[in-house]
Each structure stands twice: as structure tokens, then as C-alpha cells.
């Protein structure tokens, strides 16, 4: 049976998800979309050669009897509202990050899902679906390098616009590490501190770049994450796990090594979409498959909440310069069973 999807938000990521769900993946079709720019939504469908019902209000997509499940790719501040409406309607929902704009908003989604009594929410954290991260996770889970002691990570972008500010290094950039490092270590954060090295000349007055975020986990693992969003040379994601018996590194993306003009070189990606395009395909195919089977297994509303709680502590640490506590409550048994 083909899963009938409704997509709320037809901007860049919404159009990409519509394309992959209808032209790349199996088992689903898009039957309804919404966007505040209705004509823009129609034009997007036309470019993709698709026919679907077009609404101005995302709630109409949620209410549609033709829609089995939802993809929320709208403006970030609308995510919580639409996700709560999807839960109330009893429809599975894939919500791009952030799940909500605050930890309190994420908690409202968690509480609504628990009250409903079944997992309906998957958050769009795609890194656990990346081939390299999965390989690194297997090394850790298999005990090949012993118990993890330290992680050294980096998240580098070639450049960001002037609208990008210091806090966005946490809420828009580090948010991916906040999720995937919990998943890699099977651990939660205990404390965080943010330190600022010398500012790059390529930054601007409202952005302190780079930043180094230092975590201690509940098990005592130490993690440092370098965030450098004006690194100039490319889009570069690094993760090294130091264990009791060895060291494991995240594999580099596949690239052709060249010998030319007396140089040995390997190209570096410059666009995050190229780095993780396969992971997006895998995560949405998994969501489609899980909905069809009646049980979600991907990043949960609790994972969205945990990332938001950690992000709030990071923002506090940016301003204080002190070591701040990450106050995450115990995970509800509901998510252990899920």
C-alpha cells in the first residue's frame, strides 16, 4: 500500500523532500501540500511535474482525509503547532529540526505524544543515517576500541551570511552534534562550557567565530566540539573517538585522489547538502517504512527535547563563560519501550 503524505512548507527543504519521496524513494506519494505562498507551492509542484492538493493553511493538510502522514518543513516557529495538531489527529509526523523553538515547547510535544499513547513523531536529525556515522557507531558498540574516553569533533562551514549570529552556532549548527553525539555514546550531557578563541577576520561584529564547546557526559566522557563557520576552505565534519584500546575516526566522504601539476590532492565538499544527501534519502525511506509497519524507530520527540535542553545550556554558557549544568530529566519509560 502506498503511503499518502502531506507536506507543510514548500521552501527549499520541503521541495527536496517532495522530490525524494516521489522520485527517489519507494512506498509513498505526496497528495497534499501547504505554504503561505500558495502560488509558490503550485509552481514548485509544477517544476517537479507533480499534482497534489494545495492549501494555504497547514492545518487543512493535517485534517485532510487523504493524508496518512505528515512532513513538516515549514518556518521553524510553526513546527510545534503543526506537530501537536498532527498528534491530536493521530497521524505520524516527520518534523524537520527544530521540533520547537524552546525546550518547553519540545516538552509539550513529548507530553502530548505520551498522552496519545503511541510514538507518532520523528525529528529530522539525519546524521544517525549517514554511512560514516553508522560505521563509527558500530565500532563503539562492538567494543573494538574499548570504552570511549574522549571525543574530538569539528563542524566547519566555508562561510555564513551576516544574518548568522553567535547564538546560531548553537541553535543552527551545533544542534546536529548535540543529537548525534548522544546517539554515538549512548549517554547524556552533564555539563557544558563555551570558550572563544581569537576571532577570525572573516567574521562580523555580531558573530564570535570560532567557538569551542566542551562537554562532560553522565558517564564522564569528555567531548570538545570546534564550531568554525567561516573556515573558508570547505564544509568539513570531523569526529574522533578515543577509547581505552584504540582510536576511531569518522570516515571522510568519498573523493577521487588526484596527482596533477606536481601536487597530490583530494577535493573537499563545500555544500552540506552534498555531504549528507544520501543520509536524507535513508532517513525518509526509514520513516516511510516505519509508518507502514506501524512503529517509528528514528530520532524521537524525546531526542528533540534532549537536544533543545542541551542547546539552552550551551547558550547560557556562551554568555557566562562558566561551566553550566545540563538539566535533562530522566527519560520517560514510554521512550524506552518505543
Amino acid at each position: 500500500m502506498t503511503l499518502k503524505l502531506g507536506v507543510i512548507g514548500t521552501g527549499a527543504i520541503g521541495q527536496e523532500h517532495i522530490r525524494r519521496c516521489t522520485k527517489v524513494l519507494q512506498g509513498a506519494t505526496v497528495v497534499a501540500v501547504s505554504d503561505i505562498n500558495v502560488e509558490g507551492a503550485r509552481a514548485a509542484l509544477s517544476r517537479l511535474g507533480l499534482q497534489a492538493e494545495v492549501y494555504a493553511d497547514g492545518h487543512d493538510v493535517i485534517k485532510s482525509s487523504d493524508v496518512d502522514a505528515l512532513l513538516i518543513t515549514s518556518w521553524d516557529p510553526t513546527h510545534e503547532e503543526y506537530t501537536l495538531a498532527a498528534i491530536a489527529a493521530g497521524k505520524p509526523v516527520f518534523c524537520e529540526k527544530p521540533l520547537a523553538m524552546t525546550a518547553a515547547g519540545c516538552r509539550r510535544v513529548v507530553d502530548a505524544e505520551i498522552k496519545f499513547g503511541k510514538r507518532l513523531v520523528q525529528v529530522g536529525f539525519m546524521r544517525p543515517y549517514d554511512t560514516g556515522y553508522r560505521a563509527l557507531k558500530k565500532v563503539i558498540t562492538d567494543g573494538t576500541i574499548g570504552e570511549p574516553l574522549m571525543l574530538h569533533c569539528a563542524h566547519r562551514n566555508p562561510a555564513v551570511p551576516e544574518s548568522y549570529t553567535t547564538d546560531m552556532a548553537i541553535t543552527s549548527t551545533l544542534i546536529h552534534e548535540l543529537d548525534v553525539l548522544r546517539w554515538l555514546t549512548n549517554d547524556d550531557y552533564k555539563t557544558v562550557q563555551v570558550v572563544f578563541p581569537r576571532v577570525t577576520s572573516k567574521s562580523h561584529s555580531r558573530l564570535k567565530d570560532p567557538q569551542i564547546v566542551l562537554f562532560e557526559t553522565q558517564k564522564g566522557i569528555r567531548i570538545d566540539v570546534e564550531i568554525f563557520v567561516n573556515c573558508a576552505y570547505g564544509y568539513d565534519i570531523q569526529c574522533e573517538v578515543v577509547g581505552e584500546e584504540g582510536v576511531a575516526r569518522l570516515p571522510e566522504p568519498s573523493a577521487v585522489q588526484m596527482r596533477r601539476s606536481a601536487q597530490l590532492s583530494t577535493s573537499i565538499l563545500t555544500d552540506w547538502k552534498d555531504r549528507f544527501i544520501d543520509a536524507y534519502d535513508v532517513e525518509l525511506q526509514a520513516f516511510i517504512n516505519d509508518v507502514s509497519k506501524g512503529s517509528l524507530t528514528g530520532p524521537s520527540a524525546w531526542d528533540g527535547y534532549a537536544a533543545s535542553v542541551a542547546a539552552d545550556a550551551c547558550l547560557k554558557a556562551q554568555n557566562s563563560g562558566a561551566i553550566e549544568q545540563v538539566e535533562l530529566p530522566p527519560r520517560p519509560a514510554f521512550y524506552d519501550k518505543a
Side-chain angles (χ1 to χ4, degrees):
M1 186 176 101
T2 301
L3 185 70
K4 294 180 288 186
L5 298 172
V7 180
I8 301 175
T10 58
I13 191 67
Q15 291 180 44
E16 269 294 292
H17 285 346
I18 292 170
R19 177 195 62 79
R20 61 175 41 96
C21 286
T22 56
K23 298 184 179 296
V24 178
L25 310 181
Q26 297 180 341
T29 186
V30 174
V31 298
V33 304
S34 71
D35 198 275
I36 55 173
N37 181 355
V38 174
E39 291 308 313
R42 290 197 176 99
L45 291 175
S46 178
R47 285 193 298 273
L48 293 168
L50 300 175
Q51 290 187 337
E53 196 72 33
V54 180
Y55 298 97
D57 190 337
H59 289 283
D60 291 330
V61 177
I62 296 169
K63 294 173 185 175
S64 172
S65 58
D66 289 334
V67 171
D68 300 320
L70 287 308
L71 306 184
I72 298 177
T73 54
S74 52
W75 187 41
D76 289 355
T78 66
H79 288 188
E80 177 188 349
E81 174 188 345
Y82 288 138
T83 301
L84 289 172
I87 293 171
K91 295 185 178 183
V93 53
F94 177 96
C95 180
E96 274 298 345
K97 60 91 182 167
L99 179 60
M101 297 303 289
T102 64
C106 292
R107 185 69 205 220
R108 285 190 286 270
V109 173
V110 165
D111 291 342
E113 187 176 45
I114 292 174
K115 183 177 179 180
F116 185 84
K118 179 182 179 181
R119 263 204 65 185
L120 292 174
V121 180
Q122 178 168 328
V123 182
F125 290 124
M126 78 301 205
R127 289 199 189 178
Y129 296 95
D130 175 69
T131 302
Y133 274 108
R134 284 179 175 260
L136 187 57
K137 173 74 169 177
K138 187 175 188 304
V139 168
I140 296 170
T141 302
D142 289 350
T144 307
I145 60 171
E147 289 295 324
L149 306 175
M150 297 174 284
L151 276 71
H152 307 300
C153 311
H155 189 145
R156 304 182 183 122
N157 289 62
V160 292
E162 289 208 5
S163 58
Y164 187 106
T165 53
T166 299
D167 61 310
M168 292 174 68
I170 304 300
T171 59
S172 296
T173 300
L174 182 70
I175 195 71
H176 291 287
E177 275 78 16
L178 291 178
D179 175 70
V180 78
L181 298 181
R182 287 181 64 248
W183 173 77
L184 272 180
T185 60
N186 192 31
D187 200 0
D188 285 315
Y189 306 114
K190 180 180 179 180
T191 65
V192 63
Q193 183 180 19
V194 180
V195 297
F196 296 97
R198 177 182 175 182
V199 176
T200 174
S201 62
K202 299 181 184 300
S203 189
H204 57 81
S205 61
R206 295 189 299 141
L207 172 60
K208 293 181 180 179
D209 184 45
Q211 304 176 34
I212 300 173
V213 186
L214 307 170
F215 294 100
E216 180 185 6
T217 73
Q218 295 292 337
K219 296 176 185 175
I221 301 170
R222 289 289 184 170
I223 301 173
D224 56 86
V225 184
E226 171 204 318
I227 310 168
F228 189 9
V229 294
N230 288 287
C231 78
Y233 71 86
Y235 181 72
D236 192 9
I237 302 299
Q238 299 289 330
C239 183
E240 179 182 82
V241 182
V242 180
E244 292 179 310
E245 300 172 11
V247 177
R249 289 182 62 88
L250 182 71
E252 296 286 346
S254 297
V256 174
Q257 189 181 78
M258 293 187 292
R259 288 173 166 83
R260 183 175 178 271
S261 301
Q263 291 184 333
L264 178 64
S265 65
T266 304
S267 62
I268 296 174
L269 296 172
T270 59
D271 192 326
W272 60 269
K273 293 188 293 294
D274 295 332
R275 171 64 177 82
F276 289 110
I277 189 169
D278 292 338
Y280 279 111
D281 290 347
V282 175
E283 77 165 340
L284 274 174
Q285 186 65 72
F287 174 74
I288 291 166
N289 294 346
D290 285 352
V291 172
S292 298
K293 289 186 289 189
S295 178
L296 295 184
T297 59
S300 67
W302 181 259
D303 294 320
Y305 173 62
S308 187
V309 169
D312 284 353
C314 291
L315 292 173
K316 186 176 181 182
Q318 277 186 331
N319 293 318
S320 71
I323 297 173
E324 300 290 351
Q325 298 294 313
V326 181
E327 303 287 354
L328 181 67
R331 182 172 62 179
F334 174 86
Y335 291 99
D336 292 334
K337 292 183 289 185

